[in-house]
Amino acid sequence: MNKDTNSDSSKPKKRRRGEEIEAESSSSDRTLSLEENLTFSDTLVALRIMRAQFPHIDKVSIRPFILQSQLYSSVNDRTQVDRELESLRRERVLRVFKLNTGQDDHAIMFLDDYLNQCSLLSIGGKVKDEHISLLINAGILTRQLIDPDMYWFAIPNIGSVLKGLSQGRKEILSFLNRRKYKEMMLALLEKKHLRFSPLDMRFHLRDLIGSGHLKTIHTPTGLVVQISKD
């Protein structure tokens, strides 16, 4: 899943479009509420905007990443998301990572961001056992449990963030489950602060809506977020 293949440098049009989107999103979309920019028509647009909105995390050096579940909450057609993600991966615009959360979680990181994250390590020639150990210790490789000779590429320094991701999910679901109708206005919920996660409420809400744990309901006064029934 993480191999970069079929690179095609003859597609400058799409690359320019992405650069324009990034420039626009970095200047304006941080100020918009989640309700105002919850959904998009294009996967790359959604990725660029969510990258710009990635929360600053104290004491952790990590480049922005987007969860695949967040894309599912932001682009209505999941088949379109999967197809466009695969195209962007083949064009070496981004990488997709399986996260060690115990769930079917995948993170997406723009390739330039990933290379910057890993820039301190460069190995040429034949890879030896000590090289693999170095990459594992640096958090760039993780060993697959089902086959000790197989490895996944990983995002360095993500361990503490994954812990916060799990705790933030539980905190939001517990909070809503304690409410009478297990729901709350999105605009009000977005303003709440999480105690157990370094990630912000916007990040978690996109994730929980896209994974199906929460659903949104349109009302005359705005979007309501509600626990999804089993």
Side-chain angles (χ1 to χ4, degrees):
M1 186 173 191
N2 293 316
K3 282 187 177 180
D4 291 314
T5 56
N6 299 336
S7 173
D8 186 352
S9 59
S10 63
K11 299 184 179 181
K13 184 177 181 180
K14 185 168 289 187
R15 192 168 293 114
R16 284 199 301 270
R17 178 170 67 95
E19 291 169 356
E20 291 167 0
I21 292 166
E22 183 175 26
E24 293 170 1
S25 65
S26 62
S27 61
S28 61
D29 289 298
R30 277 187 176 276
T31 61
L32 294 176
S33 70
L34 182 55
E35 186 168 348
E36 290 173 308
N37 66 349
L38 180 61
T39 59
F40 310 94
S41 60
D42 180 273
T43 301
L44 185 58
V45 172
L47 285 167
R48 293 289 188 189
I49 290 177
M50 283 189 275
R51 180 192 180 281
Q53 294 174 343
F54 188 81
H56 172 74
I57 303 176
D58 292 331
K59 300 179 181 179
V60 178
S61 176
I62 189 168
R63 302 294 293 174
F65 65 88
I66 300 95
L67 298 176
Q68 193 162 339
S69 56
Q70 293 175 314
L71 279 178
Y72 290 151
S73 74
S74 302
V75 182
N76 291 329
D77 189 339
R78 292 194 175 208
T79 301
Q80 174 189 343
V81 170
D82 293 339
R83 182 175 62 250
E84 291 179 348
L85 274 182
E86 178 62 17
S87 176
L88 291 168
R89 187 190 68 80
R90 289 180 178 276
E91 293 171 11
R92 299 196 176 192
V93 174
L94 51 80
R95 294 202 71 125
V96 182
F97 303 87
K98 176 75 172 68
L99 298 180
N100 187 24
T101 59
Q103 301 185 38
D104 189 26
D105 289 319
H106 292 82
I108 300 150
M109 184 177 280
F110 283 96
L111 185 59
D112 287 346
D113 285 334
Y114 186 66
L115 294 177
N116 287 334
Q117 183 96 1
C118 305
S119 61
L120 67 162
L121 286 173
S122 177
I123 295 176
K126 186 177 180 180
V127 177
K128 301 179 181 179
D129 288 343
E130 56 265 33
H131 294 151
I132 293 176
S133 297
L134 177 64
L135 293 171
I136 291 175
N137 292 334
I140 295 175
L141 288 182
T142 58
R143 198 185 301 271
Q144 291 191 22
L145 296 178
I146 58 174
D147 187 342
D149 294 324
M150 297 290 290
Y151 302 88
W152 277 314
F153 280 103
I155 301 173
N157 304 326
I158 201 172
S160 62
V161 179
L162 292 185
K163 182 180 179 181
L165 174 63
S166 177
Q167 291 178 328
R169 286 169 170 171
K170 293 177 182 178
E171 185 177 348
I172 294 170
L173 294 175
S174 175
F175 171 76
L176 289 175
N177 271 313
R178 291 196 304 269
R179 295 180 64 85
K180 183 176 180 180
Y181 297 108
K182 304 182 187 302
E183 67 184 30
M184 190 172 185
M185 296 298 297
L186 175 59
L188 295 176
L189 184 57
E190 186 184 359
K191 295 178 181 178
K192 288 195 166 292
H193 295 285
L194 295 166
R195 294 182 297 163
F196 304 116
S197 175
L199 300 162
D200 60 17
M201 184 65 80
R202 183 198 300 254
F203 187 97
H204 282 287
L205 288 175
R206 287 192 187 278
D207 165 50
L208 289 169
I209 293 169
S211 63
H213 289 89
L214 299 178
K215 63 181 180 180
T216 56
I217 302 170
H218 290 271
T219 72
T221 55
L223 280 178
V224 169
V225 177
Q226 186 182 73
I227 294 285
S228 298
K229 295 180 180 179
D230 294 333

